[in-house]
Amino acid sequence: MGKERDAVKIIPLGGLEEIGMNITAIEYQDSIIVIDCGLSFPDDDMLGIDLVIPDVTYLKENADKVKGLIVTHGHEDHIGAIPYVEKQINMPIYATKLTMGIIDYKLREHNLINNIKRKVCTYGQIINLGCFRVEFIRTNHSIADSAALAVYTPKGLIIHTGDFKVDYTPVFGGVIDLQRFAELGKKGVMLLMADSTNVERRGFTPSEKTLGTTFDHLFDENRDRRIIVATFASNVDRVQQIVNSAHKYGRKVFVEGRSMVNIMTIATELGYLKIPEGVLLGIDRINEYPGNKEVIITTGSQGENMAALSRIAANIHSKITIVPGDLVIFSSSPIPGNEKAVSKVINELEQKGAKVIYHDTHVSGHACEEEIKLIYTLTKPKYALPVHGEYKHLRKHMELAETMGIPKDRIMIMRTGDVLYVADDVFEIDGKVQAGEVLVDGLGVGDVGNIVLRDRQHLAENGIVVVAISIDKLSKEVLAGPDIVSRGFVYVREAEELIEQCKAVVEETMDIEKAKGYDDYNRLKNAIKEDLGEFLWNKTRRSPVVLPVISEVVI
């Protein structure tokens, strides 16, 4: 870590150079506040991994300074890691009503609901956390109750936009509070941390409400088809518009996908989703109505393997089967990296006779170039720190900030773990803290690292050959084996000759080692690995994992 100076420290522990896993610490002297605590989903090479969460070692080391976690909105990439991190550092949580409703559900799942202080905040409310004061500002996004944060620090005002867009006609709630951004701009903003996701797109992001008309047209044109709509579970406003169109055209709505059911339940209980009486039915009643009177809202718009739509497309769903003529609407755009999985699901659906629509049925929840410029114009920040995006987005955002009149030396692109010092006369990165990815596999958190992943990759690519041998403890004579068992390498019944040759190689290695006197079975195992590995490479040009298992037997 670099030398200390009288400045606020901004420490991103995730969310930079990637879409997802957003978490940022802001620190001054003995106070730290944390903004968001999200997860990301595993890359293709993270075999068997369920989730990726941030490494919060720095927060654990400074737990006595951490005053609270402030959450901007209820998407997984901003709240998904909360239960895992709260088990390590018990932080009070501050969030708006719907966001807290979704967080509460997660905490209940992890049996943490009674251990953690939680406070529901309203727009305009200011909370005091150590030496910081934090104000919630209304914004628009693809989930209701999204907020930007004004963080009042002893060194100046920081504005964090969260994920936002400027939507003058939102489906639920009010319009983004541009007036408050302007008022804060007049007072003087030291640093603006703004969303970069859509910075490469010109113009403005269309209003969520425009999709209501799109759905109405699609429902009108396809009155004789069953309609299936796949979207993000958390996009409550989108679900509302699908329900509105279904009701208008006399259809019953069925919901499939655990996360979709959960969020719709929470949003309905809290009053963010209004479903007319008798429109929403349980999936068990799907066979009571003809297809042209049904709408199925489902998860799986990103082609996720076990999501409802993927199971429907692969014909392995217990209650829903695609019939020729079904209309499937993808109401989302693929997250970078998911294009291949989405394309696979679309192909499977079309092969089964479904008509698939995946263009012009989605609007983004993120600001395009002109909206980002608007926020810069209103807030007039001294310094700019692009957040939320891959490196190319952050770079483009940097160029945009320059066109808005901010000098190049007052704009910073950070990497996860960097420490940025900010004050009226200070703006520099100095030092790094431990940060990175922690892999979650089942109930194991952090017990799968690079070495285990490398082994999984090796096993996936080349398979495994197990050599089983039983040896008399006293005489050191071989009582049984070597037996060769192979998984994912060759089909044993069709490779009997190769297996026999493997046995011969192992027997020869054992004879050589026995002559040396093998008290140390580790040396014998290593010799078998080496010799058999070399033989198999020469014979097959493949390198399976060779696993010798030696059992000592007392007769």
Side-chain angles (χ1 to χ4, degrees), residues 96-239:
T96 50
K97 190 174 169 186
L98 179 62
T99 309
M100 192 64 86
I102 300 169
I103 292 170
D104 281 355
Y105 178 81
K106 288 184 172 297
L107 295 176
R108 263 189 217 101
E109 274 192 322
H110 287 257
N111 294 320
L112 295 171
I113 195 79
N114 299 322
N115 309 352
I116 294 157
K117 182 187 162 200
R118 304 176 319 285
K119 182 171 175 57
V120 174
C121 301
T122 54
Y123 296 119
Q125 184 172 353
I126 293 179
I127 49 174
N128 295 309
L129 297 169
C131 68
F132 299 108
R133 292 164 62 236
V134 182
E135 176 186 347
F136 284 76
I137 305 168
R138 184 190 294 278
T139 55
N140 303 125
H141 186 40
S142 53
I143 186 170
D145 268 15
S146 297
L149 304 173
V151 182
Y152 300 87
T153 81
K155 291 289 152 189
L157 175 60
I158 297 170
I159 291 182
H160 189 302
T161 65
D163 290 7
F164 83 101
K165 68 192 265 189
V166 177
D167 193 338
Y168 299 114
T169 56
V171 171
F172 187 97
V175 177
I176 180 172
D177 193 349
L178 295 174
Q179 183 182 340
R180 188 62 187 144
F181 283 102
E183 287 165 358
L184 294 171
K186 280 212 171 97
K187 286 181 184 174
V189 174
M190 177 175 70
L191 174 67
L192 176 65
M193 301 169 69
D195 181 5
S196 310
T197 312
N198 272 356
V199 69
E200 294 178 315
R201 296 192 194 174
R202 304 187 79 101
F204 289 85
T205 303
S207 168
E208 177 66 36
K209 205 163 238 179
T210 58
L211 282 185
T213 315
T214 306
F215 284 126
D216 277 353
H217 285 320
L218 287 169
F219 277 60
D220 188 31
E221 289 164 9
N222 295 279
R223 287 172 186 259
D224 56 339
R225 299 173 186 266
R226 179 170 66 169
I227 296 176
I228 300 172
V229 188
T231 189
F232 291 114
S234 57
N235 198 335
V236 175
D237 290 349
R238 187 74 46 86
V239 171

Side-chain angles (χ1 to χ4, degrees), residues 315-459:
N315 242 352
I316 54 172
H317 195 282
S318 56
K319 296 189 172 71
I320 303 167
T321 308
I322 291 291
V323 296
D326 281 350
L327 175 70
V328 182
I329 301 167
F330 278 75
S331 188
S332 70
S333 53
I335 293 168
N338 288 357
E339 296 88 353
K340 200 171 169 187
V342 172
S343 185
K344 177 175 178 272
V345 172
I346 290 171
N347 284 325
E348 285 179 332
L349 290 165
E350 294 204 327
Q351 282 165 4
K352 291 177 176 59
K355 176 184 174 185
V356 182
I357 294 177
Y358 47 92
H359 290 305
D360 307 321
T361 51
H362 174 65
V363 297
S364 176
H366 296 273
C368 288
E369 188 181 350
E370 295 304 317
E371 292 149 278
I372 298 170
K373 283 182 184 174
L374 177 58
I375 295 297
Y376 272 93
T377 305
L378 296 175
T379 56
K380 305 184 189 70
K382 180 170 185 176
Y383 302 114
L385 176 62
V387 293
H388 200 288
E390 297 171 9
Y391 185 81
K392 62 176 183 171
H393 302 122
L394 304 179
R395 182 86 213 169
K396 180 80 172 139
H397 190 150
M398 185 181 189
E399 291 165 12
L400 180 146
E402 273 188 79
T403 66
M404 298 306 295
I406 299 178
K408 198 168 190 171
D409 60 352
R410 291 188 185 176
I411 309 163
M412 194 67 75
I413 294 182
M414 293 182 73
R415 305 183 81 121
T416 297
D418 284 349
V419 179
L420 174 69
Y421 289 84
V422 193
D424 196 43
D425 54 349
V426 178
F427 189 64
E428 60 177 325
I429 290 174
D430 189 7
K432 247 185 138 42
V433 304
Q434 181 176 328
E437 299 175 329
V438 174
L439 307 180
V440 179
D441 183 1
L443 295 175
V445 179
D447 57 353
V448 174
N450 289 339
I451 292 167
V452 174
L453 281 185
R454 195 184 64 209
D455 286 348
R456 288 183 181 182
Q457 191 75 36
H458 194 168
L459 287 164

Side-chain angles (χ1 to χ4, degrees), residues 483-515:
D483 292 321
I484 308 286
V485 181
S486 144
R487 289 288 180 275
F489 171 57
V490 289
Y491 185 50
V492 174
R493 285 185 188 167
E494 290 173 7
E496 286 172 7
E497 190 183 332
L498 179 65
I499 298 300
E500 288 305 319
Q501 289 170 344
C502 289
K503 283 184 183 176
V505 169
V506 174
E507 283 166 356
E508 192 179 327
T509 303
M510 290 177 69
D511 289 343
I512 294 166
E513 290 299 314
K514 189 180 180 186

